[in-house]
Amino acid sequence: MHTYSTFEELKKDIDDYIHFYNNERIQAKLNGLSPIEFRTKAA
């Protein structure tokens, strides 16, 4: 666990994680591609 001293630090880490989760993480249902890779390949 990480302890945050300011709200801005917490917000930045949450925003970074949301970006990672929605754009970069590898997903089995997308044949092992990240969502960005899948969208690029489909286009």
Side-chain angles (χ1 to χ4, degrees):
M1 298 299 292
H2 188 272
T3 303
Y4 297 94
S5 57
T6 66
F7 176 76
E8 287 75 23
E9 290 176 3
L10 173 63
K11 184 179 182 317
K12 181 187 177 309
D13 275 358
I14 291 171
D15 289 342
D16 289 346
Y17 182 76
I18 290 171
H19 179 268
F20 166 78
Y21 188 87
N22 289 329
N23 297 300
E24 299 174 20
R25 74 184 167 98
I26 303 301
Q27 297 183 10
K29 67 182 178 182
L30 299 179
N31 297 324
L33 299 173
S34 70
I36 295 248
E37 293 170 331
F38 183 77
R39 284 185 227 129
T40 302
K41 188 175 179 181

